[in-house]
Amino acid sequence: MKKIIKFLPVFMLLIINNSYSQQIMKTVNDAEKIKSNEQLFVNKPLKTLLKEIGPEIKMVTANPSKSSNSRLGYFTFRFVDTKKYDSCRQKNKYPKQITVFVKESFEWDVNSSKKSKWTNSDLVKYGELTVVGIRVFGESINY
Amino acid sequence: MTKTKKINQAVFLFFGLLSLTVAFIACRKNFTESTVDTFSQSEAKEWYYGTFKKSPEWQQSTEKGKKLPDWKNGTYRRVGNMEIVEFPLMKERKSFAIPSASKLSSSEKRKITDGSLSRIVFIRAANGEMVVREIDYIPEMNFLELKGYDISDLSVGTKENKFSGRIITKKWDGTILSIRKSENGKITKTGIRKSNSTQKGNSLSTTTTSNTSGCEMVEICEYERYCEEVHVGDAWVPTGECTPWESTGNCWVEEYCGPGECDYGSSESCECQLYGMGCEGGGGGGEDPPPPPPDPCTDAQPAANATTSLSQNSSYTGAKSNIQGANQTVEHSITFGTDANGNTTASSMTSCTSSTNCTVNTSWPGAFADLHNHPTDQPPSPGDLYGLVTINQNQSNYNTRMVITPDGSVYALVVIDINLVNTFVSTYPKEQIGNYPPDFPDPIFTDFDNAKIQLQMQGFSNLVAEQMAMAFVLDKYNSGIALLKQDGNGNFKRLRTQENTANGNTTYSSNNCQ
């Protein structure tokens, strides 16, 4: 009994820690949870949101607007690779995507418009951009 | 006793003959009859609420909930085995397309629009299938005068029908199935819309002309009004509060050719044909073939000409020069209008320093267009498009938004079909984040993005990729808005982009109007 009482705080700490470290989006089907928790990410750095996305991002596109007065800049994260995405579009299907609008203008390499991965260097380069809005669209397909 | 017997025989003979006469008369008129049949009217109402309101036809219509049959004032007629119940149709927004409007005085136009009728028709075919049609009856002025400006007792398919005017048959979603001209109750001509909508001032030089085949070309202009109604159960009670009839600015040309078809009430197959029901073996009946799709370049040409003409006006060149001479890190806007003498005028320049104070002067007298710069290489944006539509819905003549980019390119978004624009914005309303400019909803947003990225990968600059992507989605989603660009000769031409798929790859290419 004494042992249980002794280790209880440790267990509690572990449980609390685990529950806080769980990501909001564990699977692609959870993408809508990112939208429903949008206020947790608005006016926060992009990296805060990205931490909550569990599934592998296999395709990234961006529209680096130079003036938010004309149109906001944004990143679109998808969970299928470019080949699969193109094949879905030809069947008029829209695979699930998360579009994140950011306040600041940024540079984006036009030659790699359809990036296959979101890398650590991307996180360093774009992670501090301020999120102003999120849109989730598309259907869950066979990932 | 014998006398009583004779009297009885005479009475029997009298009533016998009377019965035979009544039966004979009744048999003569049973092919087409017009009467009030409350059973069929209540059946139509029951079907409307029980079946039709749950159908995709009702659900997918942008007009759902904005119009309701006046259940208390229906008429019933039967033609062969076909039953037809017709009710006045109450609508929040009433619109009628009036022929030769520019020949009519304001008072005559008001009398025709006031006197025109919208009705809903429930047709039960012999096989039990139900079809819903919306019919507009637009009377000619002389018929209206003859009827004391009230044709509400009009009942086609009866001997009393002497209607002269146009009869437009539509599906519930507003798609026009047929246009017919009636004279003295007989269908004399069928009409076809020959050109898509033009804005006022870009129409026929005369309102009615005859071509070599003897067909009649008629200029048609649309008028609308909004009425307030109190919803009481399954009825709408008019409050009498209506906006005045106003031009939507939407005009087009219709060609009317004879000879006419069969008339209402003549036969079942004819009713099938007139209501566009697609009956089998209907003696030539069936849904009228849809009109050929309008040519996108022809459609936009009047607007392109008008924009070119504006760009040659001194008010425009001065405005453009002022905008280009101002601080190019922010947007500046100037509105163009027409004064009482018909001269083009330009407002003073407004500048925006943040997304919250980017206003356009929409109250400039006779406002019809505006011009602003984009500090970055971006053609007209989705925000520009939705902004223009919002203005256009309140000021129908205000139909053009021009944008100048840092490299001197000049673009124009132009409303070319108000009906399509209204459908577009109600189907695809803008999506907005905070006070930032509005953007397209999904999936247009995604299609635009995909096209732009692909075009950039094909080697096009950001500016050209965006202009082509914009032209692509405007066409794909049948927006009723054209994107024009000024060419090297100073002429505005419609930009068009086509999607090509081959070997699993999608590419985009220009298909601009020349």
Side-chain angles (χ1 to χ4, degrees):
Chain A
M1 187 65 186
K2 271 186 182 177
K3 275 184 182 175
I4 292 171
I5 292 167
K6 211 173 182 180
F7 285 106
L8 193 61
V10 179
F11 282 128
M12 290 296 285
L13 270 173
L14 275 170
I15 289 162
I16 290 166
N17 188 45
N18 276 342
S19 64
Y20 274 95
S21 65
Q22 276 191 347
Q23 290 168 306
I24 290 174
M25 182 180 167
K26 295 187 200 75
T27 70
V28 176
N29 292 334
D30 294 333
E32 296 293 343
K33 290 181 184 170
I34 295 289
K35 177 66 184 171
S36 55
N37 286 289
E38 187 175 17
Q39 287 314 311
L40 293 178
F41 309 116
V42 169
N43 293 324
K44 304 270 171 48
L46 176 62
K47 64 184 181 189
T48 308
L49 186 154
L50 290 169
K51 274 183 204 164
E52 298 299 333
I53 297 178
E56 184 187 4
I57 294 166
K58 295 179 180 173
M59 182 182 171
V60 186
T61 59
N63 177 38
S65 171
K66 290 176 186 162
S67 166
S68 60
N69 281 350
S70 299
R71 199 172 182 223
L72 277 169
Y74 55 85
F75 294 90
T76 299
F77 301 103
R78 297 189 178 102
F79 308 94
V80 292
D81 59 25
T82 53
K83 196 177 169 189
K84 178 93 177 175
Y85 183 76
D86 290 345
S87 116
C88 286
R89 285 301 301 119
Q90 278 167 24
K91 292 172 194 152
N92 207 26
K93 286 178 185 283
Y94 294 88
K96 191 74 79 185
Q97 64 186 42
I98 299 174
T99 300
V100 184
F101 295 87
V102 294
K103 191 188 284 183
E104 301 86 359
S105 59
F106 59 92
E107 294 293 328
W108 184 259
D109 182 9
V110 175
N111 295 320
S112 61
S113 282
K114 282 182 186 174
K115 280 174 65 75
S116 56
K117 296 273 182 184
W118 180 255
T119 63
N120 278 337
S121 66
D122 291 326
L123 192 61
V124 172
K125 199 169 176 183
Y126 306 111
E128 297 301 327
L129 294 173
T130 312
V131 174
V132 292
I134 299 166
R135 278 163 73 165
V136 175
F137 173 62
E139 56 187 297
S140 296
I141 55 165
N142 185 19
Y143 293 92
Chain B
M1 188 70 187
T2 313
K3 196 177 176 183
T4 313
K5 199 175 175 183
K6 277 184 179 173
I7 290 168
N8 282 345
Q9 279 175 343
V11 169
F12 182 77
L13 193 66
F14 173 76
F15 280 105
L17 282 171
L18 189 69
S19 305
L20 279 171
T21 309
V22 168
F24 178 69
I25 291 167
C27 285
R28 277 180 60 191
K29 62 172 257 186
N30 76 349
F31 190 68
T32 298
E33 62 184 4
S34 178
T35 180
V36 175
D37 185 310
T38 49
F39 173 68
S40 285
Q41 286 178 46
S42 57
E43 211 174 35
K45 184 177 173 182
E46 194 180 316
W47 179 83
Y48 176 88
Y49 286 110
T51 307
F52 185 57
K53 276 191 83 172
K54 294 169 187 163
S55 70
E57 187 180 357
W58 194 91
Q59 292 289 340
Q60 288 167 12
S61 170
T62 54
E63 294 279 296
K64 67 178 179 184
K66 295 177 182 172
K67 49 190 183 184
L68 185 76
D70 175 5
W71 299 113
K72 288 181 181 165
N73 291 297
T75 59
Y76 169 87
R77 64 193 178 94
R78 185 186 180 98
V79 182
N81 289 317
M82 186 182 281
E83 291 179 285
I84 301 155
V85 186
E86 192 167 322
F87 297 94
L89 187 61
M90 294 183 290
K91 299 164 88 171
E92 282 180 4
R93 174 184 178 267
K94 291 180 182 175
S95 70
F96 292 110
I98 308 298
S100 311
S102 56
K103 272 186 177 174
L104 301 169
S105 68
S106 304
S107 156
E108 286 173 323
K109 278 185 270 192
R110 186 178 50 75
K111 282 172 181 163
I112 291 176
T113 46
D114 274 343
S116 296
L117 305 176
S118 267
R119 288 191 174 162
I120 184 169
V121 186
F122 297 89
I123 308 131
R124 186 161 64 183
N127 62 4
E129 188 192 348
M130 292 284 281
V131 173
V132 174
R133 293 289 181 253
E134 187 179 328
I135 314 280
D136 283 350
Y137 298 97
I138 298 157
E140 284 178 2
M141 196 60 206
N142 52 6
F143 176 71
L144 200 54
E145 282 168 354
L146 196 71
K147 298 286 288 179
Y149 303 102
D150 180 7
I151 64 164
S152 56
D153 62 349
L154 176 71
S155 183
V156 294
T158 63
K159 278 190 293 185
E160 294 75 31
N161 170 33
K162 303 289 180 199
F163 179 71
S164 290
R166 291 161 68 244
I167 301 174
I168 300 161
T169 306
K170 297 184 264 190
K171 287 185 178 177
W172 176 254
D173 67 3
T175 308
I176 293 175
L177 292 171
S178 63
I179 306 166
R180 292 184 173 88
K181 190 171 178 181
S182 170
E183 284 172 28
N184 204 24
K186 304 282 178 197
I187 305 293
T188 55
K189 289 179 178 175
T190 51
I192 295 174
R193 190 161 163 164
K194 294 298 283 186
S195 72
N196 220 336
S197 306
T198 61
Q199 294 299 307
K200 266 198 311 191
N202 297 320
S203 49
L204 278 180
S205 52
T206 56
T207 54
T208 309
T209 57
S210 292
N211 62 20
T212 49
S213 58
C215 294
E216 191 184 12
M217 306 292 278
V218 183
E219 184 196 38
I220 308 286
C221 288
E222 188 182 48
Y223 290 79
E224 67 177 2
R225 83 186 304 180
Y226 291 84
C227 287
E228 211 172 272
E229 273 129 358
V230 179
H231 297 199
V232 182
D234 64 357
W236 286 3
V237 182
T239 62
E241 292 291 317
C242 289
T243 62
W245 285 102
E246 282 182 352
S247 165
T248 63
N250 209 5
C251 296
W252 60 89
V253 175
E254 288 175 1
E255 183 182 48
Y256 286 86
C257 297
E261 300 157 306
C262 52
D263 292 307
Y264 288 99
S266 60
S267 69
E268 232 178 291
S269 62
C270 182
E271 297 287 339
C272 270
Q273 190 177 342
L274 293 168
Y275 288 118
M277 289 169 63
C279 303
E280 285 175 16
E287 198 163 295
D288 292 351
D295 176 57
C297 294
T298 310
D299 268 3
Q301 198 54 49
N305 291 346
T307 312
T308 302
S309 175
L310 170 63
S311 71
Q312 291 161 350
N313 188 284
S314 58
S315 293
Y316 170 86
T317 50
K320 184 182 167 195
S321 169
N322 283 346
I323 287 175
Q324 288 183 306
N327 173 8
Q328 288 302 288
T329 60
V330 295
E331 292 188 10
H332 310 277
S333 170
I334 290 176
T335 302
F336 301 105
T338 308
D339 68 15
N341 299 319
N343 298 318
T344 300
T345 58
S347 71
S348 57
M349 188 166 74
T350 58
S351 302
C352 71
T353 49
S354 78
S355 58
T356 53
N357 69 356
C358 294
T359 54
V360 173
N361 186 346
T362 55
S363 57
W364 184 248
F368 65 91
D370 59 48
L371 170 71
H372 72 279
N373 66 305
H374 277 175
T376 59
D377 58 345
Q378 183 176 40
S381 62
D384 290 327
L385 183 142
Y386 283 104
L388 172 64
V389 170
T390 303
I391 298 169
N392 181 254
Q393 287 181 325
N394 295 315
Q395 297 167 248
S396 59
N397 286 336
Y398 200 137
N399 55 39
T400 305
R401 169 152 291 173
M402 302 169 80
V403 170
I404 183 163
T405 56
D407 71 347
S409 298
V410 185
Y411 298 86
L413 286 170
V414 189
V415 172
I416 56 169
D417 189 321
I418 289 168
N419 293 328
L420 288 180
V421 170
N422 288 334
T423 304
F424 174 77
V425 293
S426 60
T427 312
Y428 303 107
K430 65 186 178 187
E431 288 252 351
Q432 192 156 12
I433 291 171
N435 287 324
Y436 292 101
D439 213 315
F440 288 125
D442 296 312
I444 309 182
F445 178 87
T446 307
D447 284 353
F448 178 93
D449 200 42
N450 286 343
K452 183 194 161 186
I453 288 166
Q454 178 57 38
L455 284 157
Q456 283 182 304
M457 292 177 76
Q458 287 174 226
F460 290 101
S461 68
N462 181 69
L463 182 76
V464 176
E466 285 225 6
Q467 78 181 33
M468 289 177 72
M470 178 62 91
F472 171 65
V473 295
L474 291 181
D475 254 6
K476 179 176 176 180
Y477 289 91
N478 209 13
S479 66
I481 293 173
L483 176 63
L484 314 176
K485 188 176 185 182
Q486 196 172 30
D487 68 12
N489 298 319
N491 298 314
F492 280 83
K493 298 282 172 65
R494 183 177 195 171
L495 299 177
R496 300 192 66 228
T497 302
Q498 66 184 39
E499 190 178 44
N500 317 294
T501 302
N503 303 323
N505 295 317
T506 301
T507 56
Y508 298 86
S509 56
S510 286
N511 187 24
N512 297 339
C513 297
Q514 297 304 312

